[in-house]
Amino acid sequence: MLTRKQSELLRFINERLKETGVPPSFDEMKEALDLRSKSGIHRLILALEERGFIRRLPNRARALEVLRLPESTTPATHGRGRKFSPEVIEGNLGKVRPVLPADEEDERISMVAIPVMGRIAAGTPITALQTRSHTISLPPDMLSTGEHYALEVRGDSMIEAGIFDADTVVIRRQETAETGDIVVALIDDEEATLKRLRKRGASVALEAANPAYETRIFGPDRVRIQGKLVSLIRKY
């Protein structure tokens, strides 16, 4: 279920790891696949990672691990003359998949359509998340894996974290988060707010990044995590 270029890149990475134990550089991948820009390689790696064929290891430069090869193909060999039957997997809105035509030779940077789901409070409470109002297009570098949505910030409670009124925050949809993460939290299924999460025993603290606002503490049954901040957009 891979395109021709995705299969070629997967085989090249696998072959290089077997030969040297070190993944190839982006320049080496670009040259091996005869692409005109490294943005095309970045797009291919994201697609392979999302489909579960490779994994990028954290905190290590150029660290790639091949998890599996397509079941319908023979062990990896790189070279011209191989034949593939490409099948492109369709993506969903807000997921890290290119929205441009699936031409792997295209040197343009692929963009991802992200739904804007209304406004989020970074200050006084507002109502819970609204329905989608419009979409924005972002480069994959601004996203992580998984599904994303965007929210327009209202308020100044997160200014010391660099988040200002009228900014747009990009959120990875998830239901769990770690202490210190900036999250979208839904309180009592009524109020949505953007705050830094602190876990205090069985309680949940939602911490502002502005001394004018107090930290709010709730029981765990009152707060539901709706996502984690991954990027921010500001218009000047």
Side-chain angles (χ1 to χ4, degrees):
M1 301 293 288
L2 297 177
T3 66
R4 178 174 60 86
K5 285 296 183 184
Q6 289 165 3
S7 295
E8 287 183 353
L9 181 60
L10 179 61
R11 289 179 182 353
F12 180 60
I13 293 171
N14 186 68
E15 182 181 85
R16 181 61 63 86
L17 284 170
K18 285 184 176 181
E19 290 176 353
T20 68
V22 179
S25 67
F26 270 43
D27 285 325
E28 290 170 331
M29 294 185 227
K30 179 171 70 73
E31 182 178 350
L33 271 68
D34 196 26
L35 294 181
R36 290 172 289 179
S37 72
K38 288 188 285 189
S39 63
I41 295 296
H42 182 75
R43 182 174 62 201
L44 292 172
I45 287 176
L46 283 174
L48 290 172
E49 184 178 27
E50 188 178 12
R51 289 159 173 78
F53 288 95
I54 65 173
R55 178 175 64 182
R56 287 185 287 183
L57 304 178
N59 304 319
R60 292 174 57 188
R62 287 177 51 183
L64 294 174
E65 179 183 8
V66 175
L67 301 178
R68 64 188 178 97
L69 296 174
E71 295 179 0
S72 60
T73 60
T74 57
T77 56
H78 186 71
R80 301 191 180 277
R82 296 188 305 274
K83 295 183 179 180
F84 299 92
S85 298
E87 297 180 46
V88 178
I89 302 175
E90 297 286 338
N92 293 323
L93 188 67
K95 293 195 175 180
V96 184
R97 301 177 190 268
V99 295
L100 294 174
D103 178 6
E104 302 295 354
E105 302 290 345
D106 196 325
E107 67 178 350
R108 295 172 296 175
I109 299 176
S110 61
M111 302 294 282
V112 181
I114 304 296
V116 179
M117 304 297 291
R119 298 175 177 177
I120 184 71
T124 55
I126 59 174
T127 56
L129 303 184
Q130 304 168 19
T131 57
R132 185 178 74 194
S133 59
H134 60 284
T135 62
I136 56 176
S137 295
L138 299 175
D141 286 348
M142 294 187 65
L143 306 172
S144 57
T145 57
E147 186 176 356
H148 299 76
Y149 60 92
L151 295 164
E152 297 172 352
V153 175
R154 292 294 178 268
D156 61 356
S157 72
M158 297 301 290
I159 56 175
E160 292 190 1
I163 303 171
F164 298 96
D165 184 65
D167 284 348
T168 297
V169 289
V170 180
I171 306 296
R172 183 186 189 276
R173 194 182 298 275
Q174 57 188 66
E175 297 179 354
T176 60
E178 300 297 327
T179 289
D181 289 343
I182 296 177
V183 301
V184 172
L186 189 61
I187 304 169
D188 298 329
D189 290 326
E190 295 179 353
E191 173 195 343
T193 188
L194 183 72
K195 293 291 185 291
R196 193 177 299 278
L197 176 70
R198 301 289 184 191
K199 297 178 181 179
R200 299 183 177 179
S203 299
V204 175
L206 299 178
E207 181 181 274
N210 183 336
Y213 293 84
E214 295 183 352
T215 297
R216 303 169 68 189
I217 300 176
F218 302 92
D221 58 336
R222 294 185 59 192
V223 176
R224 289 196 294 130
I225 303 301
Q226 303 289 284
K228 173 184 172 181
L229 175 71
V230 296
S231 293
L232 181 141
I233 304 167
R234 179 171 299 149
K235 294 181 180 179
Y236 293 92

